[in-house]
Amino acid sequence: MKSLFLSFILSLFLFSCSHDLLDKAPVDRISEDAVWTDAALVQTFVNSKYRDLSFGFNWNGDELMWASASDESLFSHDYGMWAINKGELTPANLAILSSGPTEYNGNMNPWSKNYRYIRDSNIFFGKIASVPMDSTLRRQLTGEMTFLRAFRYFDLVRNYGGVPLITQSFGLGDDYAAIRRATLDESINFVVSEADKAATLLPVSYTGADVGRATKGAALALKARMLLYAASPLYASATSTARWQAAAQAAQAVLDLNAYQLYPNYQQLFLIANNSEVIFNRIEAQQGDSFLNLERWNGPNGYGGWGGNVPTQTLVDAYETLDGRSITDATSGYDAQNPYANRDPRLAATVLYNGLSYRGRALETFRPGGLDSPDGPESFNTSPTGYYLRKFITESRDLGSATGSQAPWIYFRLGEVLLNYAEAQNEAAGPDASVYTAINRLRARASMPALPAGLSQAQMRDRIRHERQVELAYEEHRYYDVRRWKIAGTTENLPVRGAAITKNASGKLQFAYPSVQERRFNERNYFLPIPLKETQANPALTQNAGY
């Protein structure tokens, strides 16, 4: 209990509530019993659970991002990431990726982190009925905690498969050895049922200071994502039209709320909290995470950046030409010696590449002499791929500042729901008009042409997967998408390539695309290993296959 209330007491400084906390006893004297007799303190407890959610800008308390565990990015400085890239994760070495500030560490160990806060949620559910408070507020807070616990169980299922479903709090004398893993289907069904329950308790929207809390739309979006996974090859033992239909219907339920609209500017979408497209996000300015420095962590070395999570050539190559053709299409007009001309605008909104205007000058990744190449300052911070991250970055912010990045992290947005619907509906019924409409809405926002008519189901499947790759880049989808589709054995076994640009005496640039990191993926890597300390403490926990 000590760790729970240390984090909770810290949160008193970080969140406001409807009562004047200055009238309360000193925070170092707040007892557990006092919390569950005060509605204001219970609200603050719930607020702290939002802050506890893992988020994508600092994967384990450092600068790592999930993207760098997939084929869309490479993390330049290792910090243990390369063990994943080389297929070397084991139940014993997860600890190398669990360093960092206490309240954020263990993101590469979702088992321990999630169950720690599931325990907190279970305490809430055991106490909330007896707290003196308005019934409407009790209902809302119960809905929020139901959603947050379901979200944590979803994270466990996507990383481990079937997991123990613990819904009561345990005391020091309780027997943990009796805990066993539920089946994969039981675990999926639990997430879905909890999301449904949360949706009945939560409002469609909030006003004022409550904007940003979990809503009915967030709960339904979680359900839709879980059902999309459940229908996918990794989770379904056989192709099931019924599962795909359920996933499509769940995504349609989010759309039917008519509560969200595509934000017109793709690049700005990721810089403006609670914009029209956002279903659920984390607002750094409200969470107090002033240590974040996305701009320095990921910026080009020529500007004082550290070149951390850098895009791969695989990601860059995925963006079509402006007429909607793949760069591998001989009729696309793509020129490997002028590779960034006439490309999907989402490329320039996501990736910094040579010649792109950035912070008052053109990016220079060429050699010799390029300011953002190994010939520039701090060559050890140069991107190995020749690319840098632009998505999420506030370009007006000084890279020299050590703290203060405040970009929102978006957990759910309308763009993803449209993609989820299109994928599920295509698998359930083929490429009908609604599938085209969902995808073409996203393409129109990006000023890209509509998909060609007459695609087969297989062709549409490929187009939807491609659209997810470019629309959702760096948003923690690619890592899981290639696994749930069971194509990671192909995508994750390819070497990372980059762009090596040479400038000759006359100023002409010559492009080459060398391999910069070898990668390995084993069949066991479809799921993470359960940490060794957990299976040692409870032999009833069966380890994932291959570990």
Side-chain angles (χ1 to χ4, degrees), residues 68 70-77 82 85 298 301 307-317 339-340 351-354 363-367 372-374 379-389 474 495-501 511-519:
S68 293
S70 76
D71 64 350
E72 63 190 2
S73 181
L74 179 153
F75 186 68
S76 302
H77 311 302
W82 296 351
N85 299 151
N298 299 294
N301 60 304
N309 299 277
V310 297
T312 65
Q313 193 64 46
T314 295
L315 176 61
V316 172
D317 287 350
Y340 314 122
V351 178
L352 288 172
Y353 51 76
N354 186 76
L363 198 74
E364 299 180 352
T365 61
F366 59 79
R367 301 185 77 180
D372 310 298
S373 77
S379 60
F380 51 88
N381 283 327
T382 304
S383 166
T385 65
Y387 299 109
Y388 296 90
L389 179 63
Y474 273 84
V496 171
R497 295 180 300 116
I501 310 173
F511 288 76
Y513 302 95
S515 298
V516 298
Q517 186 189 65
E518 293 297 319
R519 292 196 171 178

Side-chain angles (χ1 to χ4, degrees), residues 9 20 66 119 130 143 205-206 283 288 300 318 330 368 403 422 425 430 528 544:
I9 288 169
D20 185 0
W66 263 121
R119 176 200 62 193
S130 62
S205 62
Y206 296 95
I283 309 170
T403 61
Q425 182 67 9
L528 293 178
N544 276 329

Side-chain angles (χ1 to χ4, degrees), residues 515-534:
S515 298
V516 298
Q517 186 189 65
E518 293 297 319
R519 292 196 171 178
R520 295 287 182 270
F521 180 89
N522 300 310
E523 190 71 15
R524 69 181 188 180
N525 300 141
Y526 276 107
F527 287 115
L528 293 178
I530 297 174
L532 180 62
K533 67 178 182 179
E534 302 295 339

Side-chain angles (χ1 to χ4, degrees), residues 341-361:
N342 301 314
R343 301 289 292 278
D344 182 333
R346 287 173 291 188
L347 172 59
T350 304
V351 178
L352 288 172
Y353 51 76
N354 186 76
L356 189 65
S357 179
Y358 182 68
R359 295 178 180 262
R361 68 169 173 84

